[in-house]
Amino acid sequence: MLTDYATIGLFFLLAISFPLAALGLAALVRPRSYFNREKMMPYECGVDTKGKTWVRFKVNYFLYALVFLAFEVETIFLFPWAVKFNCLGLFAFIEMIIFLIILLVGLLYAWKEGALEWY
Amino acid sequence: MKGAETFFVDLARAIVNGLENMGMSALGAEIILLIIKFACIAGIVTVNIIILIWLERKISGFIQLRLGPNRLGPWGVFQTIADAIKLLTKEDIIPSQTDKIIFRTAPIVFIIISLMLYVVLPFGDGMAIVDLNLGVLYFISVGSLGTIALLMAGWGSNNKWSLLGAMRSVAQMISYEIPLVFSLLAVVMIAGSLNMSDIVNAQDKIWFVFLQPVAFITYFIAATAELNRGPFDMPEAEQELTAGAYTEYSGMRWALFFLAEYTNLFAVSALTAIMFFGGFKGPFLPSWLWLPIKAYIIMLVFFWLKWTLPRIRMDHLMAFSWKVLIPVTLANLVVTGCVLHFLK
């Protein structure tokens, strides 16, 4: 018998076949394409592209990613607590309230430091 | 009615029994059944997108006092099929300066991820492909992988619009991920399980939307943003970024992106129905009809939102998630905890 995750793994292998079949079908029926320099340029509203695209990007996005990372890791700790909440006593309840307050303080700190501002 | 209710479950058992009687091992029979199930999912996804695109174009037409597609077939129902054939026969353009490998794999990754979401959805009573005990966690974590595919598309395209669109969608998706998870956690606390069938069964008496109205509203907003749908469609704002991460894509690759978006839309609507609207539970009709009905109603709300609300500005969008949704969902978690603890 297959275990749950073995089934998911097999389903993943099957899922790979879906886009490959679609692209393969398209490759069979589409016309041959003719290339020239103009046609193969990136589309930027008909104007020739200027400068490099792969440049250093606005740091704002990175700050959001860092705050997200902290929150996401903390979210994982909340999952087991939420599932077993009804079986746990007062201790776990109060402990988790403290944990949520720490989370909130972290958010407020990031807010105060301006990591959540878009500029 | 009893036969209709268990029709698919009985059919699956009959197939496995038939294969085993033909001398196949239990494992082989199960693998063949899985292949049949995958074919069903692929069929559902493909038929679904044909209906959904037609429906969305028709509804957006009516909302904007137009007729929408009305030339091919009655009420234009064959329009999407014609579009699909057109996309299939388009030439394959890969711009010269792209990162070829990443550019080619991005749509494949995106569609695989959206198909993987369907593994844990219970389409009816006992009709999940895998009734995973971590169903909700699996759904959220696999769903959030879509970010990577979008970033691959935007980065690989070597196009400024694409990169901007991809960066925006990543920033948006990671920001709305947290309120989404927090709102679902409030439901999980009441249900006491991450298994989707258990969550549905926990809603026997009352739907969770009535017990968790705040969580439902925050979840719905966050889900709209996660799907990059209007009014949160900054990543592909047509008026400024042409099509965001999809700008350079054409033909079948673009079609795969589009397919994946609608596949995600149906999966998330089904999740909404499961978490808040009693999933496959309903009177009179068999359970495997109730989930699609509920999911379609929720999708109509998504369409309605997209075509009536104006797009939200990027800084407002980010601020709304971090400064409104996250504090509200945190407070909701604490209040839910207090109520559950002191009612017990």
Side-chain angles (χ1 to χ4, degrees), chain A residues 16-92:
Chain A
I16 293 174
S17 70
F18 184 77
L20 292 184
L23 286 172
L25 183 65
L28 287 178
V29 292
R30 71 181 164 225
R32 257 192 72 211
S33 41
Y34 296 93
F35 302 106
N36 60 48
R37 211 188 126 264
E38 299 279 315
K39 185 174 167 183
M40 289 299 127
M41 282 203 314
Y43 176 76
E44 282 167 15
C45 303
V47 184
D48 285 8
T49 177
K50 284 255 166 57
K52 272 194 287 192
T53 307
W54 293 328
V55 291
R56 281 187 288 177
F57 217 73
K58 197 171 164 179
V59 72
N60 231 197
Y61 291 93
F62 184 63
L63 284 178
Y64 275 114
L66 282 182
V67 182
F68 162 77
L69 206 59
F71 263 80
E72 194 70 348
V73 171
E74 280 159 351
T75 312
I76 294 299
F77 289 119
L78 283 173
F79 267 99
W81 171 75
V83 174
K84 282 288 154 217
F85 183 80
N86 289 323
C87 319
L88 296 172
L90 189 67
F91 177 69

Side-chain angles (χ1 to χ4, degrees), chain A residues 1 11 14 30-31 33 39-40 42-44 49-50 53-54 57 64 68 75 86 88 90 111 117, chain B residues 30 38 89-92 95-96 119 155 158-160 167 174 178 181 189 248 322-323 337 341 344:
Chain A
M1 292 300 269
F11 192 89
L14 289 169
R30 71 181 164 225
S33 41
K39 185 174 167 183
M40 289 299 127
Y43 176 76
E44 282 167 15
T49 177
K50 284 255 166 57
T53 307
W54 293 328
F57 217 73
Y64 275 114
F68 162 77
T75 312
N86 289 323
L88 296 172
L90 189 67
W111 195 334
E117 299 302 320
Chain B
E30 211 173 323
F38 173 75
T89 54
K90 284 279 175 185
E91 61 179 318
D92 184 32
S96 53
V119 176
W155 186 264
N158 196 2
N159 178 320
K160 294 180 187 74
M167 284 295 192
I174 62 172
I178 298 164
V181 175
M189 276 167 75
E248 290 296 346
W322 289 99
K323 297 178 182 173
H341 189 81
K344 193 166 59 178

